[in-house]
Amino acid sequence: LPVTLADTAGLREGGDAVEEIGIARAREAALQADLVIYLIDASDGMSPEDCAEIEQLGEVLVVYNKADVATVPTDELSISAQFGAGVDQLLQSLDLIVRSRFAAPEGALVNERQRGAVTECTLALEAAVAGLDSGLDEELVLVDLYAASTALGRLTGAITTDEVLGQIFGSFCIGK
C-alpha cells in the first residue's frame, strides 16, 4: 500500500511571521491526514498544549522521542532518533494501522468491475492452458493470453498488453 509521510513544522505557538505560516500549514496538513504521528520530546513529557493539539487532530499516534535519555510511560510508543531504538516497533505499528484501515481483506475484491476482470482473466488463462494441452498452435493460444492480459491490465494497471505481447513474441516463434 502506498503511504506518504510528511515531516512538517512543529505545532506550537509563537515565533516570527514566517514560522507562523509554517505552523499554520503544518496544522492544515495534519487535519487532512489519515493519521498523524505526533512526536513528543520525552524529556519534556506531554504538555497541556500537546493534549489540546492532539484533541483537534483526529487520529493520532503519539510517539515519544529521546527514550534513551528520559523515562517514557510503558504503554506508549517510544524511539530514540539518535540511536534508532524503537524505530522498528514504530514501523510495525504503522504497518498494522495502515493495513487495518486501508487494505481490502485478504482475497477480497472490492467491486463488481474487479470481480469481472478477475473472472475474465481466469477464464482466458484456463482456455490458454486447455489450448496448449490439446495441441493448438501457439497463435491460437495467443488470443486467450491477450484476453487474459487485457483483463489483468484493467484490474491492476500494472501490466500493459504491449509488455505481455513483447514477452510472448520474444519467447515463441509465431508466424504472421
Side-chain angles (χ1 to χ4, degrees):
L1 296 170
V3 174
T4 302
L5 296 175
D7 183 12
T8 66
L11 301 179
R12 62 189 171 282
E13 299 301 326
D16 61 22
V18 173
E19 187 175 8
E20 287 294 326
I21 292 170
I23 293 168
R25 288 183 179 172
R27 272 197 188 94
E28 183 179 316
L31 289 171
Q32 293 180 16
D34 294 312
L35 174 68
V36 173
I37 301 171
Y38 195 93
L39 197 61
I40 294 178
D41 185 329
S43 59
D44 294 337
M46 187 173 309
S47 69
E49 292 82 16
D50 290 323
C51 292
E53 286 289 350
I54 289 169
E55 284 184 28
Q56 295 177 16
L57 293 177
E59 186 162 354
V60 176
L61 178 63
V62 175
V63 178
Y64 287 82
N65 187 27
K66 297 185 183 178
D68 54 309
V69 296
T71 303
V72 176
T74 56
D75 58 338
E76 299 291 342
L77 275 174
S78 63
I79 63 169
S80 168
Q82 182 175 2
F83 298 106
V87 173
D88 287 340
Q89 182 183 3
L90 171 59
L91 292 175
Q92 289 172 357
S93 296
L94 288 173
D95 182 63
L96 287 172
I97 291 168
V98 169
R99 288 182 189 282
S100 69
R101 289 194 56 207
F102 302 106
E106 185 79 23
L109 298 173
V110 177
N111 59 42
E112 189 59 37
R113 180 193 63 79
Q114 291 174 335
R115 284 186 286 278
V118 168
T119 299
E120 185 180 335
C121 181
T122 301
L123 292 173
L125 288 172
E126 289 171 349
V129 169
L132 286 172
D133 288 345
S134 68
L136 282 179
D137 286 336
E138 293 167 341
E139 291 95 350
L140 297 174
V141 174
L142 179 62
V143 173
D144 293 321
L145 292 175
Y146 178 81
S149 71
T150 300
L152 188 60
R154 280 197 317 268
L155 178 67
T156 66
I159 298 176
T160 65
T161 303
D162 290 339
E163 290 171 352
V164 172
L165 290 177
Q167 283 289 344
I168 291 169
F169 281 106
S171 302
F172 296 105
C173 179
I174 299 176
K176 296 184 180 195

